[in-house]
Amino acid sequence: MERPRGTRDFLPAEMARRRETERAMRRTALEFGYGEVQTPTFEQTDLFVAKSGEAIVEEIYVFEDKGGRSLSLRPELTAAVMRLYSTSLTHAPKPVRVFYMGPYFRYERPQKGRYREFFQFGAELIGTPQPEGDAEIIALAVRSIEAAGMEDLEVRVGHVGALRALLGSLGVPAEMAAKAFPLIDKGDIEGLRGLLMDKVEYSSIELIEDYVSTTGDIAVVEGAIASLARFPEVTEALERLKAALEQLDAYEGIGYEVDLGIARGLDYYMGVVFEVDWQGLGAEKQVCGGGAYELGQLFGLDNVPATGFAIGLDRVDIAVSMSSQDGPVREGALVVPMDRDGEVMHLAVAAAEALRSSGIRTELEVMRRGTGKALKGADARLFRWAIIIGSDEVAKGKVAVKDLDSGEQRLVSLDELCDLGI
Ligand code: HAM
């Protein structure tokens, strides 16, 4: 039977690499003072329908349970974290810093880097309205991806509230703006023009096209503030973007490009937004997306400023495996008993347990292969050490350790065995 479309199995070597990435990101988040949370894999459909907008609804896995409730596999975690905040964390000291990782589900057209079951590492910073918060969340995202071993990241920062305010100020009705956003998100300027044509003045369309194509450094934000002075709602948002970028400059080595055309796919974004790309990934090059949002009012809370991000772990894994130049490394030990009588096996198991308790990955030969064949196998499977034990070793109370790297062999006691230096 085949796996469902858009899902994958992961073999031990892939899982080892993925777990390494997760460990590096978890460590980074903990260092920034974030605590891990976990929420259910499925939620009431309502949680996602109202909160993430139409785009996500089409991609959701919805099902009815035996009690007739409409449930959905989670497509992302921001709404659920906000739900968790509203029930359990409103009285916690502000800001609240949380992170999470796990599987997510979207009914998308699968391709390389885009799956129906995929994995994210994400974080949310809840309760600060300050630009330092925007800067911290961008810095945490970048530092987490770097911790996984990726370099040459492209960070783009914009302000979705400024974009929305500009469309509103130029007379684009809200329903049309909702259709314009996905086009802007895709960079589909032709499509955008087609949508606005005949409904919005030509000069306004030109201005919008110009605005969403604006990229550069902080000076382009200052330029936009000056040229759009007649739209105070827009310039207020751009001032906020400028303040966040100034805060971000305090972080050593985090380069970014301003991109006023970032629209993001989900409806809940309101403020500073950002995306991180890695060109080596091709079509699905976005490894991270996030920004400031407002979801509190959906849970009866007023004024809960929040910002966050999610990193696509599958894309990070593709990038890490592409850029890893490490050759195969020898590690671990294979314990080879030369016969299976009580004393030899006893010493063999004791040697394996001693190695394991000092943190060395150790396998015991359980196929009853001859010693020569077992050693050949250990070499081919890139073990670093073979521990050979026969009746001679039992008589001496020692074990023979063969270093498969150098070929050297020596007799050591069980105590010395643990100082193999791996
Ligand atoms: P998102 O942009 O939908 O944002 O997803 C974040 C990242 O998850 C993407 O940049 C991408 O790397 C990865 N990703 C998304 N869909 C797939 C897929 N089908 N297959 C593989 N990877 C995928 C969010 O999910 C927001 N909740 C982020 C956020 C947190 N905003 C504020 N707080």
Side-chain angles (χ1 to χ4, degrees), residues 8 18 21-22 25 100-102 104 106 113-115 118-122 141 144-145 148 150 264 276 278 281 284-290 309-320:
R8 288 147 303 150
R18 295 176 73 93
T21 292
E22 290 173 12
M25 293 191 178
Y100 48 83
M101 56 182 92
Y104 300 85
R106 296 184 192 177
R114 180 171 290 275
Y115 310 99
F118 62 102
F119 297 79
Q120 285 184 340
F121 163 81
S144 302
I145 303 169
M150 285 180 69
R264 302 290 296 132
V276 183
W278 193 70
L281 287 168
E284 300 300 330
K285 63 183 180 344
Q286 199 183 111
V287 288
C288 172
F309 66 82
I311 296 170
L313 292 176
D314 309 279
R315 296 181 188 178
V316 169
D317 188 56
I318 296 172
V320 167

mmCIF file of all heavy atoms in Angstrom, residues 8 18 21-22 25 100-102 104 106 113-115 118-122 141 144-145 148 150 264 276 278 281 284-290 309-320:
data_model
loop_
_atom_site.group_PDB
_atom_site.id
_atom_site.type_symbol
_atom_site.label_atom_id
_atom_site.label_comp_id
_atom_site.label_asym_id
_atom_site.label_seq_id
_atom_site.Cartn_x
_atom_site.Cartn_y
_atom_site.Cartn_z
ATOM 1 N N ARG A 8 5.652 11.719 3.742
ATOM 2 C CA ARG A 8 6.939 11.032 3.593
ATOM 3 C C ARG A 8 7.230 10.124 4.764
ATOM 4 O O ARG A 8 6.726 10.337 5.855
ATOM 5 C CB ARG A 8 8.089 12.070 3.497
ATOM 6 C CG ARG A 8 8.114 12.831 2.189
ATOM 7 C CD ARG A 8 8.597 14.230 2.387
ATOM 8 N NE ARG A 8 7.780 14.937 3.344
ATOM 9 C CZ ARG A 8 8.219 15.904 4.135
ATOM 10 N NH1 ARG A 8 9.463 16.287 4.075
ATOM 11 N NH2 ARG A 8 7.396 16.509 4.984
ATOM 12 N N ARG A 18 17.442 15.492 11.005
ATOM 13 C CA ARG A 18 16.308 16.354 11.365
ATOM 14 C C ARG A 18 16.309 16.655 12.866
ATOM 15 O O ARG A 18 16.056 17.786 13.286
ATOM 16 C CB ARG A 18 14.984 15.698 10.937
ATOM 17 C CG ARG A 18 14.849 15.567 9.420
ATOM 18 C CD ARG A 18 13.582 14.824 9.028
ATOM 19 N NE ARG A 18 12.399 15.643 9.234
ATOM 20 C CZ ARG A 18 11.841 16.404 8.292
ATOM 21 N NH1 ARG A 18 12.342 16.437 7.070
ATOM 22 N NH2 ARG A 18 10.780 17.130 8.554
ATOM 23 N N THR A 21 18.780 19.313 13.727
ATOM 24 C CA THR A 21 18.244 20.647 13.421
ATOM 25 C C THR A 21 17.279 21.100 14.512
ATOM 26 O O THR A 21 17.340 22.220 15.012
ATOM 27 C CB THR A 21 17.518 20.626 12.050
ATOM 28 O OG1 THR A 21 18.501 20.433 11.048
ATOM 29 C CG2 THR A 21 16.752 21.905 11.790
ATOM 30 N N GLU A 22 16.385 20.191 14.898
ATOM 31 C CA GLU A 22 15.416 20.548 15.944
ATOM 32 C C GLU A 22 16.121 20.902 17.250
ATOM 33 O O GLU A 22 15.748 21.861 17.922
ATOM 34 C CB GLU A 22 14.443 19.377 16.187
ATOM 35 C CG GLU A 22 13.485 19.151 15.043
ATOM 36 C CD GLU A 22 12.647 17.892 15.235
ATOM 37 O OE1 GLU A 22 12.645 17.329 16.361
ATOM 38 O OE2 GLU A 22 12.024 17.462 14.264
ATOM 39 N N MET A 25 17.641 24.362 17.049
ATOM 40 C CA MET A 25 16.638 25.431 17.123
ATOM 41 C C MET A 25 16.036 25.535 18.524
ATOM 42 O O MET A 25 15.812 26.630 19.033
ATOM 43 C CB MET A 25 15.541 25.195 16.087
ATOM 44 C CG MET A 25 16.073 25.350 14.669
ATOM 45 S SD MET A 25 14.756 25.395 13.475
ATOM 46 C CE MET A 25 15.717 25.649 11.975
ATOM 47 N N TYR A 100 7.396 26.244 19.593
ATOM 48 C CA TYR A 100 6.757 24.945 19.349
ATOM 49 C C TYR A 100 7.350 24.293 18.123
ATOM 50 O O TYR A 100 7.921 24.966 17.271
ATOM 51 C CB TYR A 100 5.242 25.133 19.137
ATOM 52 C CG TYR A 100 4.904 26.247 18.165
ATOM 53 C CD1 TYR A 100 4.912 26.042 16.779
ATOM 54 C CD2 TYR A 100 4.614 27.529 18.628
ATOM 55 C CE1 TYR A 100 4.626 27.075 15.894
ATOM 56 C CE2 TYR A 100 4.332 28.570 17.743
ATOM 57 C CZ TYR A 100 4.337 28.340 16.391
ATOM 58 O OH TYR A 100 4.071 29.359 15.517
ATOM 59 N N MET A 101 7.218 22.990 18.031
ATOM 60 C CA MET A 101 7.546 22.324 16.767
ATOM 61 C C MET A 101 6.716 21.066 16.626
ATOM 62 O O MET A 101 6.279 20.485 17.619
ATOM 63 C CB MET A 101 9.035 22.040 16.630
ATOM 64 C CG MET A 101 9.681 21.248 17.698
ATOM 65 S SD MET A 101 11.434 21.111 17.303
ATOM 66 C CE MET A 101 12.105 22.501 18.171
ATOM 67 N N GLY A 102 6.473 20.679 15.385
ATOM 68 C CA GLY A 102 5.659 19.493 15.164
ATOM 69 C C GLY A 102 5.142 19.440 13.747
ATOM 70 O O GLY A 102 5.548 20.235 12.899
ATOM 71 N N TYR A 104 2.316 19.667 10.665
ATOM 72 C CA TYR A 104 1.183 20.500 10.224
ATOM 73 C C TYR A 104 0.671 19.922 8.926
ATOM 74 O O TYR A 104 1.408 19.191 8.240
ATOM 75 C CB TYR A 104 1.644 21.970 10.058
ATOM 76 C CG TYR A 104 2.144 22.474 11.375
ATOM 77 C CD1 TYR A 104 3.456 22.248 11.771
ATOM 78 C CD2 TYR A 104 1.268 23.062 12.284
ATOM 79 C CE1 TYR A 104 3.896 22.598 13.026
ATOM 80 C CE2 TYR A 104 1.697 23.424 13.544
ATOM 81 C CZ TYR A 104 3.009 23.191 13.905
ATOM 82 O OH TYR A 104 3.424 23.520 15.159
ATOM 83 N N ARG A 106 -1.586 20.606 5.267
ATOM 84 C CA ARG A 106 -2.283 21.485 4.319
ATOM 85 C C ARG A 106 -2.531 20.695 3.046
ATOM 86 O O ARG A 106 -1.640 19.982 2.571
ATOM 87 C CB ARG A 106 -1.460 22.741 4.003
ATOM 88 C CG ARG A 106 -1.241 23.634 5.226
ATOM 89 C CD ARG A 106 -0.519 24.928 4.883
ATOM 90 N NE ARG A 106 -0.098 25.592 6.110
ATOM 91 C CZ ARG A 106 0.609 26.725 6.154
ATOM 92 N NH1 ARG A 106 0.960 27.325 5.035
ATOM 93 N NH2 ARG A 106 0.959 27.261 7.312
ATOM 94 N N GLY A 113 9.783 20.399 -1.499
ATOM 95 C CA GLY A 113 9.716 21.483 -0.527
ATOM 96 C C GLY A 113 8.292 21.873 -0.144
ATOM 97 O O GLY A 113 8.085 22.760 0.672
ATOM 98 N N ARG A 114 7.306 21.217 -0.752
ATOM 99 C CA ARG A 114 5.904 21.521 -0.429
ATOM 100 C C ARG A 114 5.166 20.193 -0.237
ATOM 101 O O ARG A 114 5.086 19.387 -1.161
ATOM 102 C CB ARG A 114 5.266 22.323 -1.569
ATOM 103 C CG ARG A 114 3.817 22.689 -1.342
ATOM 104 C CD ARG A 114 3.338 23.660 -2.390
ATOM 105 N NE ARG A 114 3.959 24.973 -2.203
ATOM 106 C CZ ARG A 114 3.499 25.905 -1.374
ATOM 107 N NH1 ARG A 114 2.421 25.681 -0.680
ATOM 108 N NH2 ARG A 114 4.129 27.053 -1.263
ATOM 109 N N TYR A 115 4.672 19.970 0.972
ATOM 110 C CA TYR A 115 4.083 18.679 1.298
ATOM 111 C C TYR A 115 2.722 18.872 1.941
ATOM 112 O O TYR A 115 2.362 19.974 2.340
ATOM 113 C CB TYR A 115 5.007 17.916 2.265
ATOM 114 C CG TYR A 115 6.425 17.884 1.754
ATOM 115 C CD1 TYR A 115 7.381 18.780 2.252
ATOM 116 C CD2 TYR A 115 6.790 17.020 0.738
ATOM 117 C CE1 TYR A 115 8.675 18.789 1.753
ATOM 118 C CE2 TYR A 115 8.074 17.025 0.226
ATOM 119 C CZ TYR A 115 9.021 17.912 0.733
ATOM 120 O OH TYR A 115 10.283 17.934 0.224
ATOM 121 N N PHE A 118 3.817 18.516 6.776
ATOM 122 C CA PHE A 118 5.135 19.143 6.841
ATOM 123 C C PHE A 118 5.404 19.541 8.292
ATOM 124 O O PHE A 118 4.545 19.387 9.156
ATOM 125 C CB PHE A 118 5.221 20.351 5.896
ATOM 126 C CG PHE A 118 4.254 21.450 6.230
ATOM 127 C CD1 PHE A 118 4.681 22.585 6.903
ATOM 128 C CD2 PHE A 118 2.909 21.360 5.898
ATOM 129 C CE1 PHE A 118 3.796 23.606 7.236
ATOM 130 C CE2 PHE A 118 2.017 22.374 6.226
ATOM 131 C CZ PHE A 118 2.460 23.491 6.889
ATOM 132 N N PHE A 119 6.602 20.026 8.538
ATOM 133 C CA PHE A 119 7.011 20.270 9.926
ATOM 134 C C PHE A 119 7.492 21.705 10.095
ATOM 135 O O PHE A 119 8.160 22.242 9.210
ATOM 136 C CB PHE A 119 8.105 19.265 10.323
ATOM 137 C CG PHE A 119 7.604 17.847 10.293
ATOM 138 C CD1 PHE A 119 7.498 17.159 9.079
ATOM 139 C CD2 PHE A 119 7.165 17.216 11.441
ATOM 140 C CE1 PHE A 119 6.985 15.856 9.033
ATOM 141 C CE2 PHE A 119 6.652 15.921 11.408
ATOM 142 C CZ PHE A 119 6.571 15.243 10.191
ATOM 143 N N GLN A 120 7.103 22.306 11.196
ATOM 144 C CA GLN A 120 7.520 23.689 11.464
ATOM 145 C C GLN A 120 8.123 23.794 12.860
ATOM 146 O O GLN A 120 7.732 23.076 13.782
ATOM 147 C CB GLN A 120 6.310 24.641 11.444
ATOM 148 C CG GLN A 120 5.755 24.979 10.096
ATOM 149 C CD GLN A 120 4.625 26.012 10.198
ATOM 150 O OE1 GLN A 120 4.026 26.201 11.267
ATOM 151 N NE2 GLN A 120 4.327 26.673 9.098
ATOM 152 N N PHE A 121 9.044 24.751 12.964
ATOM 153 C CA PHE A 121 9.497 25.224 14.269
ATOM 154 C C PHE A 121 9.041 26.680 14.305
ATOM 155 O O PHE A 121 9.323 27.436 13.375
ATOM 156 C CB PHE A 121 11.024 25.128 14.359
ATOM 157 C CG PHE A 121 11.623 25.955 15.463
ATOM 158 C CD1 PHE A 121 11.640 25.484 16.767
ATOM 159 C CD2 PHE A 121 12.149 27.205 15.200
ATOM 160 C CE1 PHE A 121 12.181 26.256 17.791
ATOM 161 C CE2 PHE A 121 12.693 27.980 16.221
ATOM 162 C CZ PHE A 121 12.707 27.497 17.518
ATOM 163 N N GLY A 122 8.318 27.077 15.350
ATOM 164 C CA GLY A 122 7.813 28.448 15.370
ATOM 165 C C GLY A 122 7.911 29.056 16.753
ATOM 166 O O GLY A 122 8.141 28.351 17.752
ATOM 167 N N ALA A 141 14.380 34.189 14.616
ATOM 168 C CA ALA A 141 14.173 33.362 13.413
ATOM 169 C C ALA A 141 15.504 33.142 12.698
ATOM 170 O O ALA A 141 15.876 32.017 12.366
ATOM 171 C CB ALA A 141 13.161 34.028 12.486
ATOM 172 N N SER A 144 17.953 30.996 14.673
ATOM 173 C CA SER A 144 17.540 29.584 14.713
ATOM 174 C C SER A 144 17.922 28.887 13.414
ATOM 175 O O SER A 144 18.400 27.749 13.428
ATOM 176 C CB SER A 144 16.024 29.470 14.914
ATOM 177 O OG SER A 144 15.639 30.108 16.097
ATOM 178 N N ILE A 145 17.696 29.564 12.299
ATOM 179 C CA ILE A 145 18.023 28.936 11.001
ATOM 180 C C ILE A 145 19.539 28.792 10.878
ATOM 181 O O ILE A 145 20.043 27.767 10.427
ATOM 182 C CB ILE A 145 17.455 29.763 9.830
ATOM 183 C CG1 ILE A 145 15.937 29.940 9.978
ATOM 184 C CG2 ILE A 145 17.753 29.084 8.495
ATOM 185 C CD1 ILE A 145 15.326 30.957 9.020
ATOM 186 N N ALA A 148 20.992 25.855 12.630
ATOM 187 C CA ALA A 148 20.860 24.581 11.908
ATOM 188 C C ALA A 148 21.971 24.411 10.875
ATOM 189 O O ALA A 148 22.048 23.385 10.210
ATOM 190 C CB ALA A 148 19.491 24.502 11.238
ATOM 191 N N MET A 150 22.640 26.766 8.300
ATOM 192 C CA MET A 150 22.416 27.431 7.012
ATOM 193 C C MET A 150 23.075 28.803 6.984
ATOM 194 O O MET A 150 23.101 29.516 7.979
ATOM 195 C CB MET A 150 20.911 27.592 6.750
ATOM 196 C CG MET A 150 20.251 26.296 6.344
ATOM 197 S SD MET A 150 18.489 26.525 6.057
ATOM 198 C CE MET A 150 18.506 27.524 4.570
ATOM 199 N N ARG A 264 2.171 38.410 2.798
ATOM 200 C CA ARG A 264 1.932 37.215 3.613
ATOM 201 C C ARG A 264 0.615 36.541 3.202
ATOM 202 O O ARG A 264 -0.316 37.184 2.745
ATOM 203 C CB ARG A 264 1.907 37.519 5.120
ATOM 204 C CG ARG A 264 3.156 38.157 5.654
ATOM 205 C CD ARG A 264 4.346 37.201 5.668
ATOM 206 N NE ARG A 264 4.128 36.076 6.557
ATOM 207 C CZ ARG A 264 4.370 34.799 6.189
ATOM 208 N NH1 ARG A 264 4.803 34.510 4.990
ATOM 209 N NH2 ARG A 264 4.169 33.821 7.050
ATOM 210 N N VAL A 276 12.073 34.831 5.109
ATOM 211 C CA VAL A 276 13.478 34.463 4.938
ATOM 212 C C VAL A 276 13.565 33.450 3.799
ATOM 213 O O VAL A 276 12.873 32.426 3.823
ATOM 214 C CB VAL A 276 14.056 33.844 6.235
ATOM 215 C CG1 VAL A 276 15.541 33.531 6.049
ATOM 216 C CG2 VAL A 276 13.857 34.779 7.423
ATOM 217 N N TRP A 278 16.028 31.143 0.956
ATOM 218 C CA TRP A 278 17.348 30.568 0.656
ATOM 219 C C TRP A 278 17.290 30.130 -0.802
ATOM 220 O O TRP A 278 16.532 29.218 -1.159
ATOM 221 C CB TRP A 278 17.666 29.395 1.574
ATOM 222 C CG TRP A 278 19.098 28.983 1.506
ATOM 223 C CD1 TRP A 278 20.172 29.686 1.980
ATOM 224 C CD2 TRP A 278 19.637 27.785 0.926
ATOM 225 N NE1 TRP A 278 21.333 28.999 1.736
ATOM 226 C CE2 TRP A 278 21.040 27.834 1.094
ATOM 227 C CE3 TRP A 278 19.074 26.675 0.289
ATOM 228 C CZ2 TRP A 278 21.889 26.813 0.639
ATOM 229 C CZ3 TRP A 278 19.914 25.672 -0.166
ATOM 230 C CH2 TRP A 278 21.306 25.742 0.018
ATOM 231 N N LEU A 281 17.062 26.615 -2.754
ATOM 232 C CA LEU A 281 15.895 25.730 -2.719
ATOM 233 C C LEU A 281 15.040 25.816 -3.970
ATOM 234 O O LEU A 281 14.117 25.027 -4.152
ATOM 235 C CB LEU A 281 15.034 26.053 -1.491
ATOM 236 C CG LEU A 281 15.610 25.595 -0.151
ATOM 237 C CD1 LEU A 281 14.842 26.225 1.003
ATOM 238 C CD2 LEU A 281 15.559 24.073 -0.041
ATOM 239 N N GLU A 284 10.493 26.622 -4.053
ATOM 240 C CA GLU A 284 9.998 26.743 -2.676
ATOM 241 C C GLU A 284 11.122 27.251 -1.790
ATOM 242 O O GLU A 284 11.608 26.547 -0.913
ATOM 243 C CB GLU A 284 9.444 25.400 -2.198
ATOM 244 C CG GLU A 284 8.296 24.866 -3.035
ATOM 245 C CD GLU A 284 7.103 25.811 -3.066
ATOM 246 O OE1 GLU A 284 6.889 26.536 -2.075
ATOM 247 O OE2 GLU A 284 6.403 25.836 -4.096
ATOM 248 N N LYS A 285 11.549 28.487 -2.035
ATOM 249 C CA LYS A 285 12.765 28.970 -1.385
ATOM 250 C C LYS A 285 12.507 29.633 -0.031
ATOM 251 O O LYS A 285 13.433 29.953 0.683
ATOM 252 C CB LYS A 285 13.502 29.939 -2.312
ATOM 253 C CG LYS A 285 12.748 31.214 -2.649
ATOM 254 C CD LYS A 285 13.583 32.013 -3.625
ATOM 255 C CE LYS A 285 13.086 33.304 -4.108
ATOM 256 N NZ LYS A 285 11.787 33.786 -4.037
ATOM 257 N N GLN A 286 11.228 29.820 0.309
ATOM 258 C CA GLN A 286 10.939 30.505 1.570
ATOM 259 C C GLN A 286 11.062 29.548 2.755
ATOM 260 O O GLN A 286 10.261 28.623 2.892
ATOM 261 C CB GLN A 286 9.534 31.093 1.506
ATOM 262 C CG GLN A 286 9.341 32.178 2.540
ATOM 263 C CD GLN A 286 7.916 32.700 2.520
ATOM 264 O OE1 GLN A 286 7.169 32.475 3.446
ATOM 265 N NE2 GLN A 286 7.548 33.373 1.463
ATOM 266 N N VAL A 287 12.057 29.780 3.602
ATOM 267 C CA VAL A 287 12.236 28.877 4.742
ATOM 268 C C VAL A 287 11.498 29.368 5.982
ATOM 269 O O VAL A 287 11.249 28.603 6.904
ATOM 270 C CB VAL A 287 13.715 28.631 5.119
ATOM 271 C CG1 VAL A 287 14.401 27.760 4.089
ATOM 272 C CG2 VAL A 287 14.482 29.913 5.320
ATOM 273 N N CYS A 288 11.135 30.650 5.976
ATOM 274 C CA CYS A 288 10.489 31.173 7.183
ATOM 275 C C CYS A 288 9.594 32.349 6.828
ATOM 276 O O CYS A 288 9.898 33.118 5.920
ATOM 277 C CB CYS A 288 11.561 31.634 8.167
ATOM 278 S SG CYS A 288 10.941 32.511 9.608
ATOM 279 N N GLY A 289 8.477 32.469 7.553
ATOM 280 C CA GLY A 289 7.613 33.627 7.378
ATOM 281 C C GLY A 289 7.000 34.002 8.703
ATOM 282 O O GLY A 289 6.802 33.140 9.568
ATOM 283 N N GLY A 290 6.723 35.292 8.875
ATOM 284 C CA GLY A 290 6.098 35.677 10.130
ATOM 285 C C GLY A 290 5.844 37.162 10.189
ATOM 286 O O GLY A 290 5.989 37.876 9.192
ATOM 287 N N PHE A 309 6.782 33.770 14.190
ATOM 288 C CA PHE A 309 7.226 33.244 12.896
ATOM 289 C C PHE A 309 7.122 31.734 12.906
ATOM 290 O O PHE A 309 6.972 31.121 13.977
ATOM 291 C CB PHE A 309 8.688 33.629 12.608
ATOM 292 C CG PHE A 309 9.677 32.993 13.561
ATOM 293 C CD1 PHE A 309 10.128 31.689 13.369
ATOM 294 C CD2 PHE A 309 10.146 33.694 14.672
ATOM 295 C CE1 PHE A 309 11.016 31.092 14.256
ATOM 296 C CE2 PHE A 309 11.039 33.104 15.559
ATOM 297 C CZ PHE A 309 11.471 31.802 15.351
ATOM 298 N N ALA A 310 7.188 31.138 11.736
ATOM 299 C CA ALA A 310 7.358 29.685 11.641
ATOM 300 C C ALA A 310 8.383 29.392 10.552
ATOM 301 O O ALA A 310 8.390 30.022 9.497
ATOM 302 C CB ALA A 310 6.034 28.994 11.344
ATOM 303 N N ILE A 311 9.253 28.436 10.876
ATOM 304 C CA ILE A 311 10.300 27.996 9.943
ATOM 305 C C ILE A 311 9.870 26.643 9.384
ATOM 306 O O ILE A 311 9.441 25.771 10.141
ATOM 307 C CB ILE A 311 11.647 27.844 10.689
ATOM 308 C CG1 ILE A 311 12.121 29.200 11.222
ATOM 309 C CG2 ILE A 311 12.701 27.199 9.789
ATOM 310 C CD1 ILE A 311 13.314 29.121 12.174
ATOM 311 N N GLY A 312 9.977 26.474 8.079
ATOM 312 C CA GLY A 312 9.658 25.187 7.456
ATOM 313 C C GLY A 312 10.838 24.239 7.614
ATOM 314 O O GLY A 312 11.859 24.389 6.950
ATOM 315 N N LEU A 313 10.680 23.254 8.527
ATOM 316 C CA LEU A 313 11.818 22.377 8.838
ATOM 317 C C LEU A 313 12.198 21.468 7.676
ATOM 318 O O LEU A 313 13.350 21.078 7.528
ATOM 319 C CB LEU A 313 11.504 21.538 10.084
ATOM 320 C CG LEU A 313 11.418 22.334 11.385
ATOM 321 C CD1 LEU A 313 10.997 21.434 12.540
ATOM 322 C CD2 LEU A 313 12.771 22.984 11.713
ATOM 323 N N ASP A 314 11.209 21.160 6.817
ATOM 324 C CA ASP A 314 11.520 20.290 5.675
ATOM 325 C C ASP A 314 12.444 21.009 4.696
ATOM 326 O O ASP A 314 13.351 20.418 4.131
ATOM 327 C CB ASP A 314 10.224 19.883 4.974
ATOM 328 C CG ASP A 314 9.230 19.331 5.968
ATOM 329 O OD1 ASP A 314 9.364 18.159 6.324
ATOM 330 O OD2 ASP A 314 8.357 20.094 6.431
ATOM 331 N N ARG A 315 12.182 22.303 4.531
ATOM 332 C CA ARG A 315 13.025 23.084 3.612
ATOM 333 C C ARG A 315 14.414 23.278 4.214
ATOM 334 O O ARG A 315 15.416 23.217 3.507
ATOM 335 C CB ARG A 315 12.362 24.419 3.306
ATOM 336 C CG ARG A 315 11.046 24.175 2.570
ATOM 337 C CD ARG A 315 10.329 25.440 2.195
ATOM 338 N NE ARG A 315 9.007 25.078 1.688
ATOM 339 C CZ ARG A 315 8.094 25.918 1.308
ATOM 340 N NH1 ARG A 315 8.346 27.220 1.362
ATOM 341 N NH2 ARG A 315 6.929 25.499 0.853
ATOM 342 N N VAL A 316 14.458 23.511 5.528
ATOM 343 C CA VAL A 316 15.767 23.638 6.181
ATOM 344 C C VAL A 316 16.536 22.332 5.994
ATOM 345 O O VAL A 316 17.728 22.331 5.679
ATOM 346 C CB VAL A 316 15.607 23.955 7.688
ATOM 347 C CG1 VAL A 316 16.941 23.827 8.426
ATOM 348 C CG2 VAL A 316 15.023 25.352 7.873
ATOM 349 N N ASP A 317 15.828 21.201 6.125
ATOM 350 C CA ASP A 317 16.515 19.919 6.006
ATOM 351 C C ASP A 317 17.062 19.711 4.592
ATOM 352 O O ASP A 317 18.169 19.201 4.424
ATOM 353 C CB ASP A 317 15.574 18.768 6.388
ATOM 354 C CG ASP A 317 16.327 17.466 6.451
ATOM 355 O OD1 ASP A 317 17.314 17.397 7.208
ATOM 356 O OD2 ASP A 317 15.977 16.533 5.713
ATOM 357 N N ILE A 318 16.298 20.110 3.593
ATOM 358 C CA ILE A 318 16.795 19.978 2.209
ATOM 359 C C ILE A 318 18.059 20.828 2.074
ATOM 360 O O ILE A 318 19.077 20.381 1.544
ATOM 361 C CB ILE A 318 15.733 20.431 1.184
ATOM 362 C CG1 ILE A 318 14.509 19.515 1.239
ATOM 363 C CG2 ILE A 318 16.323 20.427 -0.234
ATOM 364 C CD1 ILE A 318 13.330 19.998 0.395
ATOM 365 N N ALA A 319 18.007 22.056 2.590
ATOM 366 C CA ALA A 319 19.154 22.968 2.476
ATOM 367 C C ALA A 319 20.367 22.414 3.221
ATOM 368 O O ALA A 319 21.482 22.429 2.706
ATOM 369 C CB ALA A 319 18.781 24.346 3.013
ATOM 370 N N VAL A 320 20.139 21.907 4.428
ATOM 371 C CA VAL A 320 21.249 21.384 5.231
ATOM 372 C C VAL A 320 21.884 20.189 4.525
ATOM 373 O O VAL A 320 23.109 20.083 4.430
ATOM 374 C CB VAL A 320 20.754 20.979 6.652
ATOM 375 C CG1 VAL A 320 21.806 20.151 7.385
ATOM 376 C CG2 VAL A 320 20.393 22.212 7.458
#
